[in-house]
Amino acid sequence: MAEQRIVKWGIMGPGGISDNFATELPHAPGAELVAVAGRSLDKAQAFAEKFGIPRAYGSCEELAADPDVEIVYIGTLHPIHKENALTLLRGGKSVLCEKPFTINAAEAKEIADLAREKGLFLMEAMWTRYLPAIVKVREWLDSGVIGDVRIVKAEFGFDAGWNPEGRLLNKEKGGGTLLDAGIYPVSFASMVYGGEQPSKIASSVVIGETGVDEQFSLLFEYGGGRTASLHGAVRLAMSNEAVIYGTKGRIVVPGFLFAKAATLHVNGEEPVDFKHELEPSGHFYQAIEAMECLREGRKESETLTVDETVRIMETLDRVREPWGLKYPTEA
């Protein structure tokens, strides 16, 4: 086992998702949060005071220049992930970047190329992949116990209400369902199919008054009779369940984003339940993975490689192309 040395963290973006990360980081053994930065120094200072963080900065450049910081969690809005990641990598920092990794695949490739050029660790913060219940799902899949996977069904939808100025319905802020909620079922399907992306994509979308996608339905085809049926919404509450159907059985994951349980159904046998209570909600498992990689000198996670992250962004680009949906930074 690698030496459990202390890993010193920074946070870029003192917002809500970063609040969750900072709250849970102490659950990751050997993690020390030493700095936070934001575009507003006042907000960064307030965040630092709340979590007992020694240093607060008013810019990403200052955080990138802090010699004590080894890795930075990026929790800013989607459209500025690329700018933040490039700045931090140029400053010699490893990066754990919130999902969606970027607005599009071109941005993701630019970040990936720089990380490899600099020899730095890079990982998308798809925290769901590291939850114990999802780890168990992968173990069941790898064992072949449900046979050949033929259909994946996954959905994530919630009712955010009508707030046209809020982030979720604001195209300027990268709003809409696909990037915010859709990344979860799309990434889940990618995980189940070993990182393979669909050969064919069919979709239906509802574009709302603010110009963002408020809900979608996707059908992915992979060849060999394998498909994925994926759904997402930001103005419609859904069950958020995932089901994997194989030739010998199925795996059911209730509330798969925050998975606390999974059930294995093998044809003709009694169901097998896996349960694991999360402490407090499981965001810290991705930090544990990142730190294990750093301690072992690995530049990426085998559970979600940089190449797979880029391929997933390519799939999201393909999904929205026929929708005519572009973000202001792409115009």
Side-chain angles (χ1 to χ4, degrees):
M1 180 177 290
E3 180 186 352
Q4 296 298 297
R5 66 172 177 82
I6 299 296
V7 174
K8 295 187 176 182
W9 287 81
I11 287 179
M12 180 60 213
I17 191 70
S18 294
D19 195 294
N20 291 341
F21 188 78
T23 298
E24 298 200 17
L25 192 60
H27 291 266
E32 183 180 350
L33 183 51
V34 299
V36 60
R39 288 183 292 181
S40 163
L41 179 58
D42 289 344
K43 288 183 179 179
Q45 288 174 332
F47 192 93
E49 184 176 351
K50 178 178 180 179
F51 291 102
I53 304 170
R55 295 184 292 283
Y57 301 111
S59 72
C60 188
E61 288 77 11
E62 291 173 278
L63 180 60
D66 187 324
D68 286 342
V69 174
E70 180 176 359
I71 182 170
V72 175
Y73 168 81
I74 298 176
T76 52
L77 295 175
H78 317 332
I80 54 177
H81 283 180
K82 185 190 85 163
E83 173 190 337
N84 292 156
L86 294 178
T87 297
L88 292 163
L89 290 167
R90 290 182 186 123
K93 309 307 179 193
S94 291
V95 168
L96 173 63
C97 185
E98 191 54 58
K99 82 280 147 238
F101 195 65
T102 48
I103 288 290
N104 56 43
E107 292 186 353
K109 290 174 184 174
E110 190 174 348
I111 295 170
D113 288 346
L114 182 60
R116 285 168 176 157
E117 178 187 324
K118 296 283 189 180
L120 293 166
F121 174 82
L122 178 65
M123 178 176 135
E124 180 182 8
M126 178 48 71
W127 62 283
T128 295
R129 287 213 186 184
Y130 304 94
L131 300 178
I134 302 300
V135 172
K136 176 56 70 174
V137 167
R138 287 199 299 274
E139 290 175 1
W140 284 335
L141 290 172
D142 290 343
S143 74
V145 69
I146 66 165
D148 297 328
V149 175
R150 294 296 175 84
I151 295 176
V152 177
K153 291 174 61 180
E155 61 182 34
F156 177 37
F158 54 91
D159 186 0
W162 175 248
N163 180 10
E165 301 304 317
R167 177 181 65 83
L168 288 170
L169 298 180
N170 190 326
K171 190 185 286 190
E172 296 279 345
K173 296 179 179 178
T177 303
L178 186 65
L179 293 187
D180 199 272
I183 182 68
Y184 285 100
V186 171
S187 184
F188 186 83
S190 180
M191 179 194 78
V192 172
Y193 285 126
E196 184 179 349
Q197 302 305 303
S199 56
K200 295 182 181 179
I201 296 173
S203 70
S204 176
V205 66
V206 174
I207 303 293
E209 293 179 30
T210 63
V212 303
D213 54 311
E214 294 186 2
Q215 71 183 60
F216 67 75
S217 295
L218 308 176
L219 179 62
F220 288 176
E221 293 185 31
Y222 298 83
R226 297 171 301 143
T227 63
S229 175
L230 313 173
H231 309 269
V234 291
R235 298 193 66 199
L236 184 69
M238 305 180 82
S239 72
N240 303 334
E241 181 181 74
V243 185
I244 305 165
Y245 294 95
T247 53
K248 296 179 181 178
R250 70 188 187 277
I251 298 170
V252 180
V253 190
F256 79 96
L257 278 80
F258 309 92
K260 298 180 180 180
T263 301
L264 171 66
H265 299 265
V266 175
N267 298 341
E269 299 181 13
E270 288 295 314
V272 175
D273 292 319
F274 175 88
K275 295 182 179 179
H276 187 281
E277 287 300 319
L278 301 178
E279 311 167 4
S281 68
H283 280 84
F284 68 95
Y285 288 106
Q286 63 186 346
I288 291 175
E289 172 73 9
M291 292 192 298
E292 286 180 353
C293 290
L294 288 171
R295 289 170 182 140
E296 294 170 6
R298 292 186 281 133
K299 306 305 179 186
E300 57 187 293
S301 168
E302 294 177 0
T303 302
L304 178 55
T305 66
V306 174
D307 282 344
E308 186 183 354
T309 286
V310 172
R311 290 196 301 269
I312 289 170
M313 292 309 307
E314 289 172 343
T315 295
L316 296 183
D317 287 353
R318 290 169 61 201
V319 165
R320 64 185 172 91
E321 183 179 6
W323 299 353
L325 177 59
K326 285 192 172 185
Y327 299 97
T329 53
E330 297 177 308

